[in-house]
PDB file of all heavy atoms in Angstrom:
ATOM      1  N   VAL A 108      50.098  88.618 131.222  1.00 98.00           N
ATOM      2  CA  VAL A 108      49.353  88.420 129.976  1.00 98.00           C
ATOM      3  C   VAL A 108      49.863  89.421 128.943  1.00 98.00           C
ATOM      4  O   VAL A 108      49.909  90.605 129.210  1.00 98.00           O
ATOM      5  CB  VAL A 108      47.845  88.685 130.171  1.00 98.00           C
ATOM      6  CG1 VAL A 108      47.090  88.348 128.892  1.00 98.00           C
ATOM      7  CG2 VAL A 108      47.308  87.891 131.335  1.00 98.00           C
ATOM      8  N   GLN A 109      50.230  88.916 127.792  1.00 98.00           N
ATOM      9  CA  GLN A 109      50.488  89.823 126.673  1.00 98.00           C
ATOM     10  C   GLN A 109      49.470  89.565 125.559  1.00 98.00           C
ATOM     11  O   GLN A 109      48.371  90.094 125.622  1.00 98.00           O
ATOM     12  CB  GLN A 109      51.939  89.759 126.193  1.00 98.00           C
ATOM     13  CG  GLN A 109      52.908  90.418 127.192  1.00 98.00           C
ATOM     14  CD  GLN A 109      54.325  90.559 126.669  1.00 98.00           C
ATOM     15  OE1 GLN A 109      54.564  90.631 125.480  1.00 98.00           O
ATOM     16  NE2 GLN A 109      55.286  90.595 127.581  1.00 98.00           N
ATOM     17  N   CYS A 110      49.796  88.703 124.599  1.00 98.00           N
ATOM     18  CA  CYS A 110      48.827  88.489 123.543  1.00 98.00           C
ATOM     19  C   CYS A 110      47.609  87.711 124.042  1.00 98.00           C
ATOM     20  O   CYS A 110      46.528  87.804 123.514  1.00 98.00           O
ATOM     21  CB  CYS A 110      49.453  87.776 122.351  1.00 98.00           C
ATOM     22  SG  CYS A 110      49.678  85.999 122.546  1.00 98.00           S
ATOM     23  N   GLY A 111      47.811  86.888 125.068  1.00 98.00           N
ATOM     24  CA  GLY A 111      46.692  86.169 125.661  1.00 98.00           C
ATOM     25  C   GLY A 111      46.398  84.818 125.039  1.00 98.00           C
ATOM     26  O   GLY A 111      45.492  84.118 125.482  1.00 98.00           O
ATOM     27  N   TYR A 112      47.141  84.439 124.013  1.00 98.00           N
ATOM     28  CA  TYR A 112      46.822  83.167 123.355  1.00 98.00           C
ATOM     29  C   TYR A 112      47.157  81.951 124.232  1.00 98.00           C
ATOM     30  O   TYR A 112      46.480  80.950 124.195  1.00 98.00           O
ATOM     31  CB  TYR A 112      47.541  83.081 122.010  1.00 98.00           C
ATOM     32  CG  TYR A 112      46.831  82.187 121.025  1.00 98.00           C
ATOM     33  CD1 TYR A 112      45.695  82.638 120.347  1.00 98.00           C
ATOM     34  CD2 TYR A 112      47.284  80.903 120.771  1.00 98.00           C
ATOM     35  CE1 TYR A 112      45.034  81.829 119.437  1.00 98.00           C
ATOM     36  CE2 TYR A 112      46.624  80.073 119.850  1.00 98.00           C
ATOM     37  CZ  TYR A 112      45.490  80.552 119.194  1.00 98.00           C
ATOM     38  OH  TYR A 112      44.828  79.742 118.294  1.00 98.00           O
ATOM     39  N   CYS A 113      48.236  82.072 125.013  1.00 98.00           N
ATOM     40  CA  CYS A 113      48.616  80.967 125.889  1.00 98.00           C
ATOM     41  C   CYS A 113      47.882  81.035 127.240  1.00 98.00           C
ATOM     42  O   CYS A 113      47.952  80.109 128.028  1.00 98.00           O
ATOM     43  CB  CYS A 113      50.118  80.996 126.166  1.00 98.00           C
ATOM     44  SG  CYS A 113      50.599  82.363 127.240  1.00 98.00           S
ATOM     45  N   THR A 114      47.247  82.176 127.524  1.00 98.00           N
ATOM     46  CA  THR A 114      46.789  82.485 128.862  1.00 98.00           C
ATOM     47  C   THR A 114      45.770  81.484 129.438  1.00 98.00           C
ATOM     48  O   THR A 114      45.934  81.008 130.569  1.00 98.00           O
ATOM     49  CB  THR A 114      46.238  83.930 128.934  1.00 98.00           C
ATOM     50  OG1 THR A 114      47.230  84.792 128.358  1.00 98.00           O
ATOM     51  CG2 THR A 114      45.954  84.343 130.346  1.00 98.00           C
ATOM     52  N   ILE A 146      53.722  76.661 126.512  1.00 98.00           N
ATOM     53  CA  ILE A 146      54.638  77.619 125.889  1.00 98.00           C
ATOM     54  C   ILE A 146      54.001  79.000 125.824  1.00 98.00           C
ATOM     55  O   ILE A 146      52.858  79.144 125.434  1.00 98.00           O
ATOM     56  CB  ILE A 146      55.013  77.158 124.470  1.00 98.00           C
ATOM     57  CG1 ILE A 146      55.792  75.857 124.541  1.00 98.00           C
ATOM     58  CG2 ILE A 146      55.847  78.225 123.764  1.00 98.00           C
ATOM     59  CD1 ILE A 146      56.098  75.223 123.223  1.00 98.00           C
ATOM     60  N   CYS A 147      54.787  79.981 126.229  1.00 98.00           N
ATOM     61  CA  CYS A 147      54.397  81.379 126.042  1.00 98.00           C
ATOM     62  C   CYS A 147      55.537  82.037 125.279  1.00 98.00           C
ATOM     63  O   CYS A 147      56.687  81.976 125.714  1.00 98.00           O
ATOM     64  CB  CYS A 147      54.183  82.073 127.374  1.00 98.00           C
ATOM     65  SG  CYS A 147      53.902  83.853 127.128  1.00 98.00           S
ATOM     66  N   ARG A 148      55.224  82.609 124.156  1.00 98.00           N
ATOM     67  CA  ARG A 148      56.296  83.229 123.357  1.00 98.00           C
ATOM     68  C   ARG A 148      56.439  84.716 123.648  1.00 98.00           C
ATOM     69  O   ARG A 148      57.390  85.309 123.219  1.00 98.00           O
ATOM     70  CB  ARG A 148      55.935  83.000 121.869  1.00 98.00           C
ATOM     71  CG  ARG A 148      57.065  83.267 120.905  1.00 98.00           C
ATOM     72  CD  ARG A 148      58.302  82.429 121.131  1.00 98.00           C
ATOM     73  NE  ARG A 148      59.112  82.367 119.919  1.00 98.00           N
ATOM     74  CZ  ARG A 148      60.385  81.981 119.912  1.00 98.00           C
ATOM     75  NH1 ARG A 148      60.967  81.605 121.047  1.00 98.00           N
ATOM     76  NH2 ARG A 148      61.062  81.933 118.790  1.00 98.00           N
ATOM     77  N   CYS A 149      55.475  85.289 124.378  1.00 98.00           N
ATOM     78  CA  CYS A 149      55.503  86.745 124.577  1.00 98.00           C
ATOM     79  C   CYS A 149      56.197  87.187 125.842  1.00 98.00           C
ATOM     80  O   CYS A 149      56.941  88.148 125.838  1.00 98.00           O
ATOM     81  CB  CYS A 149      54.093  87.309 124.619  1.00 98.00           C
ATOM     82  SG  CYS A 149      53.105  87.049 123.150  1.00 98.00           S
ATOM     83  N   THR A 150      55.914  86.533 126.955  1.00 98.00           N
ATOM     84  CA  THR A 150      56.246  87.134 128.249  1.00 98.00           C
ATOM     85  C   THR A 150      57.611  86.756 128.778  1.00 98.00           C
ATOM     86  O   THR A 150      58.086  87.386 129.731  1.00 98.00           O
ATOM     87  CB  THR A 150      55.244  86.693 129.319  1.00 98.00           C
ATOM     88  OG1 THR A 150      55.367  85.264 129.520  1.00 98.00           O
ATOM     89  CG2 THR A 150      53.813  87.017 128.924  1.00 98.00           C
TER      90      THR A 150
ATOM     91  N   MET B 185      52.201  82.141 119.034  1.00 98.00           N
ATOM     92  CA  MET B 185      51.364  81.003 119.467  1.00 98.00           C
ATOM     93  C   MET B 185      50.082  80.870 118.636  1.00 98.00           C
ATOM     94  O   MET B 185      49.563  79.790 118.455  1.00 98.00           O
ATOM     95  CB  MET B 185      51.051  81.101 120.960  1.00 98.00           C
ATOM     96  CG  MET B 185      52.277  80.901 121.825  1.00 98.00           C
ATOM     97  SD  MET B 185      53.254  79.431 121.340  1.00 98.00           S
ATOM     98  CE  MET B 185      52.230  78.148 122.017  1.00 98.00           C
TER      99      MET B 185
HETATM  100  S1  LIG C   2      51.012  85.930 126.143  1.00 53.55           S
HETATM  101 FE1  LIG C   2      51.383  85.538 124.039  1.00 53.55          FE
HETATM  102  S2  LIG C   2      51.957  83.488 124.046  1.00 53.55           S
HETATM  103 FE2  LIG C   2      51.772  83.935 126.138  1.00 53.55          FE
END
Side-chain angles (χ1 to χ4, degrees):
Chain A
V108 185
Q109 287 189 27
C110 79
Y112 206 77
C113 71
T114 309
I146 295 174
C147 173
R148 194 58 160 164
C149 299
T150 65
Chain B
M185 293 312 284

